[in-house]
Amino acid sequence: MLERDLIHTYLKSLAKYLSRLSKPEADEVIREIESHIYDAVELAQEQNGSADIEEILARLGSPRELAAQYTDHILEGRPLPQGFRSMQRIKRGASKGLMVSMAIMGFGFSLVLALIGAAKFIFPDQVGAWSAAQGNSVIIGFTDSVSPSSTEVLGWWFIPVAWLIAAASFYITRKVLAVMKVSMISAQ
Amino acid sequence: MVNNEENTEKWDVQLRKGSLELVVLAALKDRNVYGLELLKSLHQFESMQLTEGTLYPLLDRLKRDELVAANWVQEGESRPRKYYQLTQKGLDKLTGFTQRWRQSVSDIEFIINNPGPAALTKQGEETC
């Protein structure tokens, strides 16, 4: 009973990882592997009186590894149609440019905010976040002519808030860049 | 000694990587066998200890490249099995591979058999 469960779980997992193939192709692979497993079990029982299912499955590799060998050609083996390579190259160039500007903007924003936060220590009156025109506009940063109609909203809280946002922006930029890098590599 | 064995195994894996296609095509020549049968027959040989996880995807690729053909056969009560045969294209490829293989082996043999200090030259073949 347990043996059947192990085999069933293995084949089900294999089917999941084969989803890149067309349904008939995937079914064919599963059918052959299933046939193999039961044959191997029978053979082992004939030879040793018992069969080690786990070993038989291990020799096939994990469902994921096995499936990868059947689906790899879909990712890399298929030759690109004429004209596609140059498109791919342009796309790659574009995403490289996009990554660089993304990095400059994201990290730059973090740096500026962090510096403004630090400047509050030195120029407590000139640095802060003001709400002007009854909350219709917000001014953040450096100013030496605070208009009388605007009110400072954060006070000393300005520093942790600015640093927190700087840190968040830094973190998000890094994450986004990592994702972009991965998708660029897999596009090659 | 253990280390040595490990190295031998690694070497076998490396060598097999390049030659497995030839091995499988050659083993299928004029035969009609299913996966496990082919695997068992290869396992009789010391340096052919490949795993199921390697063989089945390889057979799939050979089939996709039309070097082998496959069909499901059910004999009597037994469960259906997928049998493989060489196609004409596979046979041609096997012929080509066999030639290259023999050339490589004879070249390697020659290099092994002709150590220094004399310069390694192919002309040595005649004087040998």
Side-chain angles (χ1 to χ4, degrees), chain A residues 25 28-29 31-36 38-40 42-43 47 56 59-61 66 69-70 73, chain B residues 34-36 39-40 43 50-54 56-57 59-60 63-64 72 79-82 84:
Chain A
E25 279 177 323
E28 172 106 17
V29 171
R31 203 171 153 212
E32 181 174 30
I33 298 297
E34 183 180 21
S35 165
H36 163 82
Y38 285 109
D39 267 351
E42 241 165 55
L43 188 72
Q47 285 176 345
I56 289 169
R59 291 188 61 90
L60 286 164
L66 184 62
Q69 294 191 71
Y70 281 101
H73 69 283
Chain B
Y34 60 97
L36 185 58
L39 191 79
K40 273 193 301 177
H43 277 179
L50 68 159
T51 67
E52 290 79 332
T54 308
Y56 285 103
L59 286 170
D60 185 65
K63 185 169 163 257
R64 231 173 18 244
W72 286 90
R79 98 182 40 84
R81 287 164 176 156
K82 196 175 179 182
Y84 292 89

Side-chain angles (χ1 to χ4, degrees), chain B residues 57-88:
Chain B
L58 175 67
L59 286 170
D60 185 65
R61 183 168 66 76
L62 294 177
K63 185 169 163 257
R64 231 173 18 244
D65 294 345
E66 294 166 356
L67 301 177
V68 304
N71 58 305
W72 286 90
V73 176
Q74 183 162 15
E75 303 152 9
E77 297 271 295
S78 73
R79 98 182 40 84
R81 287 164 176 156
K82 196 175 179 182
Y83 281 78
Y84 292 89
Q85 315 90 40
L86 224 53
T87 60
Q88 186 55 49

